[in-house]
Amino acid sequence: MAIPRLAATVILMRTPFEVYLTRRSSSSSFAADAFVFPGGTVQAQDGTPAAHARVHGRNDDAASRTLLVAAMRELFEEAGVLLACTKAGYRLEAGRINAEEIASERAGVRDGALPFADFLASHDWYADARALAPFSHWITPSSEPRRYDTHFFLAIAPADQTVTADSIETHDGCWISPSEALARHRARRLHLVYPTIKHLERLAAFSELESLRDFARSKPIYTIEPATTMEGDFWIPAELEGAW
Amino acid sequence: MVTLVRAPNPSPMTLSGTNSYLIDCGYGQALVIDPGPPIASHVDTLLEAARVQSLTIAAIAVTHWHPDHAPAAAPLAGMTGAPIYAHPASSIPHDRDLELERDLCIGQTALRAIDAPGHTFDHVIFYLARDRALFTGDVILGEGSVVIAPPGGAMRPYQRTLQRLADEFGEASVIYGGHGPIVTDAQAKIAEYIAHRRMREEQILAALADQAQTIPELVLRIYGKTLNPLQPAMARQILAHLIALEGEGRVAAEPTGRAMSAGEDTMLNPRIEEIVAPEEAAIITAELGSQLRIGALYRYRLNAAVSGELP
């Protein structure tokens, strides 16, 4: 039985209510060609004291900080969005983060040449933990050879930043409403994997970010590991539908 | 040497109290497994147990997040400076993720951290090869049986964990469980736990072979009709079995379409906070998974195509 790898995923949202999905490249080892939320596995660099020192906003334990750094880094790598603040916790003024100016640094973070913490430090920016709201916790069924222990976070896209897909892990990105994504999936025009589908179904019950945010604040997080049916499909029993 | 320090929190769920363990790891260093509930006198007793053996508490490890096992980790870490280790998936605050299936080395001693999902997703068992001893948390107790309840608990992962202990730790002779006495015949205990779950599932399948039933009906049929305060635990236990069987396509759930009676609702959704003190309610709620409200009443029936198979 494979041990799940720790991973962080960010559900990036904007008004009117849409979420950002990136298409995994067809050569990806996992969920090739599927549209997914930006995210990836936790790396050693996410757990260093240098990385933890670059998190602002919550007095979290080490394990939680590592996850936050991983989520921030993956969001930056895959969508080009940086949820950053100053040392004192102020939001950066509009336009401070310019995608074109930091494009080469983003490439460096993405290919591992530039540690994310070093990149933040060089600008004296801090990862703004307040911008990420923990939402859910999924573990891939133990029947799978490749398993992830994934923490999902909600985030609202900063109005002054443009979201841009990278060209290596993901080669396409889109803003889409959860219900539209599900409709296209049913029409076989959009390839989605099970955890993405279940999250989109959950999100589709909301029409605006504010009500979703209130829900996320009051929602307890229960770990869910879907079962695998005899046909090999992932499955959550009806009794647990609302319980994750 | 292993010292058992029992927390003063006896209850139906925690039996005579939570077992905290202080392990002499050599070089004057000690590991505490499951510091227990946040009771100041219990933390003092742990510190005193280390002091009389001239040991420094060098590390704290938690088998799983439940409120009768983990919360004292934070004050104990504060007083000793020892780091808290937990399962990487654990929601409890911790300093270091345990490396699963690898050794945790403290002093001169290595303990294998075994991924042991089922009771909770973040459960670990420690194997102390030096003493041929398993520290099983709430996977195996010194007496009685364990509640496996959704959403945190899952029956098939739990059964696989038990089977792994039998298959891979056949040399283990002692079990230090999270509650109850120390078990000196580890292999017999593991076999008993495996057999108990199989027996319960066969009872459920046999009952459903007679006729489709709801969970409250199954509870009365399998555990007897006498009113029993443990009925909500039995109901959740049966739910865990049914969910596993549904996933395998052997049982199907169909909504009854009617509202629950008061009695059914009490059995499925016990209002624990109205019965016991808040600290105890938190423990019972975690054990039963009763924060999960079961909104609809389902009737379960065997799937004809595969009803003949038994595990």
Side-chain angles (χ1 to χ4, degrees):
Chain A
M1 189 167 79
I3 294 173
R5 294 173 66 195
L6 205 53
T9 289
V10 180
I11 300 173
L12 191 67
M13 312 178 294
R14 72 176 184 188
T15 305
F17 187 18
E18 291 180 323
V19 296
Y20 187 70
L21 296 177
T22 61
R23 180 153 62 165
R24 309 273 310 166
S25 99
S26 39
S27 58
S28 292
S29 52
F30 173 75
D33 267 329
F35 277 82
V36 298
F37 300 113
T41 52
V42 172
Q43 298 176 3
Q45 61 156 298
D46 303 325
T48 61
H52 288 186
R54 283 284 143 191
V55 178
H56 177 90
R58 279 201 228 131
N59 198 11
D60 276 322
D61 60 291
S64 308
R65 282 190 175 232
T66 300
L67 275 172
L68 283 170
V69 172
M72 296 282 185
R73 181 182 50 70
E74 289 288 344
L75 183 64
F76 181 57
E77 289 180 15
E78 295 192 356
V81 167
L82 195 58
L83 303 172
C85 62
T86 67
K87 181 167 192 180
Y90 294 107
R91 297 277 153 78
L92 301 181
E93 58 226 65
R96 262 304 289 290
I97 298 173
N98 181 307
E100 283 174 30
E101 282 172 24
I102 56 176
S104 69
E105 291 166 281
R106 181 181 169 197
V109 171
R110 197 171 49 207
D111 65 27
L114 174 62
F116 186 54
D118 291 5
F119 159 68
L120 290 172
S122 69
H123 294 273
D124 204 24
W125 289 336
Y126 288 78
D128 190 354
R130 299 164 301 179
L132 284 181
F135 186 72
S136 60
H137 181 202
W138 277 56
I139 299 178
T140 314
S142 49
S143 55
E144 296 300 294
R146 191 182 289 269
R147 302 178 67 208
Y148 298 94
D149 172 349
T150 309
H151 295 258
F152 287 79
F153 297 87
L154 296 183
I156 296 177
D160 63 318
Q161 290 187 45
T162 317
V163 179
T164 50
D166 72 19
S167 51
I168 299 177
E169 273 190 83
T170 59
H171 56 95
D172 209 355
C174 67
W175 284 104
I176 189 167
S177 78
S179 50
E180 175 66 17
L182 290 167
R184 288 198 199 177
H185 171 66
R186 280 192 296 273
R188 298 181 183 277
R189 288 192 292 131
L190 187 70
H191 176 30
L192 299 174
V193 290
Y194 189 78
T196 315
I197 295 167
K198 299 315 275 187
H199 276 85
L200 288 169
E201 286 173 0
R202 180 64 71 91
L203 298 173
F206 298 88
S207 55
E208 52 189 19
L209 293 191
E210 288 67 29
S211 50
L212 174 57
R213 195 180 52 200
D214 291 345
F215 169 71
R217 280 190 185 138
S218 63
K219 170 191 174 301
I221 296 174
Y222 302 121
T223 308
I224 183 112
E225 179 181 323
T228 318
T229 65
M230 301 289 259
E231 291 79 36
D233 298 325
F234 290 178
W235 172 79
I236 296 174
E239 298 91 331
L240 300 186
E241 269 293 346
W244 54 272
Chain B
M1 185 168 112
V2 176
T3 309
L4 163 60
V5 180
R6 184 160 291 148
N9 62 336
S11 76
M13 283 295 157
T14 58
L15 305 177
S16 46
T18 303
N19 292 343
S20 299
Y21 294 100
L22 180 88
I23 303 167
D24 181 348
C25 294
Y27 297 139
Q29 299 190 350
L31 166 70
V32 170
I33 293 181
D34 279 355
I39 300 174
S41 67
H42 179 59
V43 175
D44 290 343
T45 311
L46 279 168
L47 290 167
E48 180 63 14
R51 200 190 58 77
V52 298
Q53 298 177 57
S54 305
L55 295 173
T56 305
I57 294 177
I60 300 162
V62 172
T63 59
H64 65 299
W65 71 269
H66 278 172
D68 51 334
H69 292 261
L76 191 62
M79 283 181 239
T80 59
I84 302 169
Y85 289 83
H87 191 289
S90 190
S91 60
I92 61 150
H94 56 286
D95 302 300
R96 298 186 195 162
D97 288 339
L98 285 164
E99 287 191 65
L100 302 174
E101 315 309 331
R102 303 278 288 275
D103 285 340
L104 171 65
C105 297
I106 312 289
Q108 294 167 290
T109 302
L111 292 98
R112 179 61 53 91
I114 306 161
D115 191 18
H119 180 69
T120 63
F121 286 104
D122 68 343
H123 209 298
V124 277
I125 287 175
F126 295 95
Y127 182 58
L128 178 59
R130 181 190 78 185
D131 296 359
R132 293 172 42 196
L134 288 162
F135 294 82
T136 51
D138 277 359
V139 172
I140 296 179
L141 309 182
E143 62 195 0
S145 145
V146 177
V147 182
I148 303 301
M155 190 55 74
R156 290 294 180 264
Y158 178 71
Q159 291 174 297
R160 276 196 294 271
T161 292
L162 291 176
Q163 195 59 50
R164 256 199 84 187
L165 294 181
D167 294 345
E168 298 175 31
F169 297 88
E171 62 183 33
S173 62
V174 184
I175 288 177
Y176 295 100
H179 306 275
I182 293 163
V183 176
T184 51
D185 190 351
Q187 298 305 317
K189 190 56 125 178
I190 295 169
E192 173 197 322
Y193 265 56
I194 291 172
H196 174 71
R197 298 294 164 174
R198 195 168 291 154
M199 179 274 292
R200 187 70 75 218
E201 194 153 302
E202 280 168 13
Q203 284 181 321
I204 293 170
L205 289 169
L208 295 182
D210 275 1
Q211 64 180 107
Q213 296 181 59
T214 64
I215 290 177
E217 286 165 351
L218 284 167
V219 168
L220 299 180
R221 158 126 179 192
I222 290 171
Y223 293 93
K225 289 198 167 37
T226 349
L227 193 63
N228 183 323
L230 289 176
Q231 275 177 346
M234 299 161 179
R236 298 281 169 153
Q237 205 69 109
I238 289 178
L239 173 63
H241 279 286
L242 289 169
I243 283 175
L245 291 165
E246 276 182 77
E248 292 159 356
R250 300 164 69 195
V251 163
E254 46 207 27
T256 57
R258 67 171 172 86
M260 286 178 205
S261 72
E264 287 165 336
D265 190 39
T266 308
M267 197 190 290
L268 292 174
N269 297 307
R271 277 167 282 280
I272 293 153
E273 24 345 298
E274 293 171 14
I275 312 168
V276 299
E279 316 84 67
E280 199 181 330
I283 291 170
I284 298 176
T285 302
E287 292 289 342
L288 293 191
S290 56
Q291 73 277 19
L292 167 70
R293 309 301 289 181
I294 300 176
L297 189 64
Y298 291 86
R299 183 173 289 109
Y300 297 85
R301 62 170 171 78
L302 285 192
N303 263 340
V306 282
S307 62
E309 296 173 27
L310 282 174

